[in-house]
Amino acid sequence: MQVTGTPKRTYWLEHAWLGDGVDQGVERGVALDVHDGRITAVRTGVTVPPPGAVSLRGLTLPGLANAHSHAFHRALRGTAQTGTGGAGTPESFWAWRDVMYAVADRLTPERYLALARAVYAEMALAGITAVGEFHYVHHAPGGTPYADPNAMGEALIEAAAEAGIRITLLDTCYLSAGFGQPPDARQARFSDGTAEAWAERCALLKERDHARIGAAVHSVRAVPADQLVTVARWAEERRAPLHVHLSEQPAENDACLRAHGRTPARLLADHGVLGPRTTGVHNTHLTEEDIALLGGSGTGTCMCPTTERDLADGIGPAAALQRAGSPLSLGSDSHAVIDLFEEARAMELNERLRTRVRGHWTAAALLRAATADGHAALGWDDAGTLAPGARADFTTVALDSVRTAGAPPRLGAETAVFAATAADVRHTVVGGRHIVRDGQHQLVPDVPQALARAVEALRG
């Protein structure tokens, strides 16, 4: 996706959210001047579109950042809702994982390109301008590397380019099936054997205008403790984002305590993994000490409420983590739905259910998690705001749909977070380039059909 060298252009925004996560900041009549993929000026009080400007009716927000994605999980939507695990036994996360492994086994670089392109196009239709792809399907089935050892990662980078969005490829180290256990046959294609071999392969990946390269520890059960430092050092040397699945399931916590006598968060802290460029994904089952460790180190938290409820993970202590100093971001993870508005409101509504108290976050604070803080978690610190010098990535939500009609525009932030869905996105602009126009993707003509074909190709 080439965004440098794009022509000068002015976008006129009927309404724009210019807030910083504290102030509401909805302005009527805003002109954004854009050149070379960046916002060069923000002019308020522009009551009518300037000559030649592109008009965006509705509420324009900074582009949304999907900080946690497994693109191939999109193929499971609707197919992993079988009710019970058999004989009346409730289904668990671990049973769902078996279905996921079967899909992963049928991926090839070509199939993954087709699927991820369609998934990322669906994200663009939902107002998402950047994705953090937590990528661990590295090799061919059985574990044999492809001729290009990064063929799968390159497919994801190309898919993002063809769908018109930015990507941070969080190349994931995945070495074991559990504490002291080698990867099983289903996990063989995830593993490089050692963290050193993982680092050597990752070093071959190159950043592009639309793509950043980050690192990930799949989980403390999947990377032996003595190899965590290798992954952390690789990210530190490159000042790259580092993400990790953390305390998603109580069973993982219990196994970690048995193996190491400490919680996963403490284990990561003791091996240099935590810090301000690190994001823990889920952070669901934490002790008070864990929360203090994460907050005190500036480690971020990526909440994925629609997946966490779909997999019956539980409700994480997001409010306590933020109070402790952990910045919040949002992800759609397994893509039960792709809708960052739903993720944002679910975080607040989950906390209401847990505490029976309303109003833990303002709409503006939730939008900040979905925009600026999400981009920062992915290494795009210059995106996620409508301000001069920022990347020209933004999205427009209709204020006249059956979901959003009626509220005054000054409450646009509240309307977006607590009423809108991805279906209300009308425009998405990335690097000044109009990727979604009037609800239609400009690069992938028929996204539903592209998704259907790509998912069908993965059916056994």
Side-chain angles (χ1 to χ4, degrees):
M1 179 180 69
Q2 184 67 29
V3 297
T4 56
T6 52
K8 293 181 180 179
R9 179 172 297 169
T10 297
Y11 286 92
W12 180 78
L13 318 179
E14 184 182 25
H15 303 280
W17 181 70
L18 303 180
D20 61 3
V22 178
D23 296 326
Q24 190 174 56
V26 174
E27 295 276 353
R28 181 181 179 89
V30 176
L32 297 185
D33 296 329
V34 173
H35 184 50
D36 279 349
R38 293 186 180 270
I39 298 169
T40 57
V42 178
R43 293 178 280 134
T44 59
V46 182
T47 56
V48 296
V54 178
S55 295
L56 304 182
R57 299 281 177 179
L59 175 70
T60 296
L61 308 165
L64 308 177
N66 188 351
H68 190 66
S69 162
H70 302 292
F72 77 90
H73 289 191
R74 174 61 179 80
L76 279 72
R77 185 185 296 177
T79 67
Q81 302 292 346
T82 55
T84 66
T89 304
E91 194 173 67
S92 70
F93 166 84
W94 309 102
W96 171 89
R97 196 172 66 150
D98 290 337
V99 181
M100 178 269 290
Y101 283 144
V103 173
D105 197 50
R106 292 190 284 271
L107 289 172
T108 65
E110 296 75 21
R111 288 175 176 173
Y112 212 1
L113 172 60
L115 177 61
R117 177 174 53 228
V119 173
Y120 296 157
E122 181 182 357
M123 291 186 191
L125 289 170
I128 292 163
T129 56
V131 61
E133 184 60 40
F134 200 102
H135 165 56
Y136 55 84
V137 187
H138 301 306
H139 308 299
T144 302
Y146 290 103
D148 173 358
N150 286 305
M152 296 293 271
E154 291 291 345
L156 292 164
I157 291 171
E158 177 60 24
E162 294 184 14
I165 71 171
R166 304 186 194 279
I167 185 171
T168 297
L169 186 74
L170 298 161
D171 197 288
T172 303
C173 188
Y174 193 133
L175 305 174
S176 58
F179 297 97
Q181 302 174 29
D184 63 30
R186 302 171 301 175
Q187 299 162 332
R189 67 184 309 190
F190 307 163
S191 177
D192 291 291
T194 66
E196 289 75 15
W198 166 86
E200 290 174 5
R201 179 181 53 73
C202 288
L204 301 175
L205 289 162
K206 304 301 180 187
E207 295 193 342
R208 274 141 267 193
D209 187 62
H210 79 291
R212 297 272 167 85
I213 307 301
V217 170
H218 179 274
S219 55
V220 292
R221 71 177 184 273
V223 179
D226 61 357
Q227 300 196 51
L228 290 169
V229 67
T230 300
V231 184
R233 186 182 300 121
W234 188 96
E236 177 65 26
E237 289 172 351
R238 292 160 177 79
R239 303 188 68 78
L242 174 60
H243 288 214
V244 53
H245 290 134
L246 178 57
S247 291
E248 182 179 4
Q249 290 286 324
E252 178 181 70
N253 287 1
D254 294 343
C256 188
L257 287 166
R258 287 193 299 271
H260 296 289
R262 64 198 85 176
T263 66
R266 170 52 71 183
L267 186 68
L268 293 173
D270 290 347
H271 289 82
V273 175
L274 303 185
R277 279 192 301 279
T278 300
T279 297
V281 180
H282 304 303
N283 294 357
T284 306
H285 302 282
L286 302 177
T287 67
E288 290 186 7
E289 181 190 8
D290 293 339
I291 292 170
L293 281 171
L294 294 169
S297 63
T299 300
T301 293
C302 180
M303 300 298 292
C304 306
T306 65
T307 290
E308 289 150 7
R309 69 193 185 196
D310 182 56
L311 297 182
D313 287 343
I315 299 172
L321 282 160
Q322 188 172 54
R323 287 194 298 269
S326 180
L328 299 180
S329 56
L330 297 166
S332 62
D333 192 359
S334 68
H335 312 313
V337 298
I338 294 177
D339 188 337
L340 265 287
F341 301 115
E342 175 62 19
E343 304 294 346
R345 77 171 146 263
M347 189 163 68
E348 165 67 21
L349 299 185
N350 283 354
E351 193 70 4
R352 292 181 186 184
L353 283 174
R354 192 180 67 80
T355 64
R356 292 180 289 174
V357 175
R358 302 177 81 224
H360 300 274
W361 292 277
T362 65
L366 293 167
L367 284 176
R368 181 175 178 86
T371 57
D373 287 349
H375 281 93
L378 299 178
W380 298 96
D381 301 83
D382 54 356
T385 62
L386 300 180
R391 294 180 183 269
D393 300 354
F394 42 91
T395 188
T396 303
V397 179
L399 295 179
D400 58 357
S401 77
V402 293
R403 288 165 293 277
T404 60
R410 64 182 175 80
L411 297 179
E414 286 78 5
T415 301
V417 171
F418 291 106
T421 73
D424 296 309
V425 170
R426 294 293 176 264
H427 303 277
T428 301
V429 174
V430 184
R433 188 182 182 199
H434 213 147
I435 301 300
V436 174
R437 187 188 298 267
D438 295 320
Q440 297 296 313
H441 202 288
Q442 303 299 291
L443 305 179
V444 182
D446 188 340
V447 178
Q449 186 59 35
L451 285 163
R453 286 195 302 267
V455 172
E456 179 65 29
L458 292 173
R459 292 217 172 104

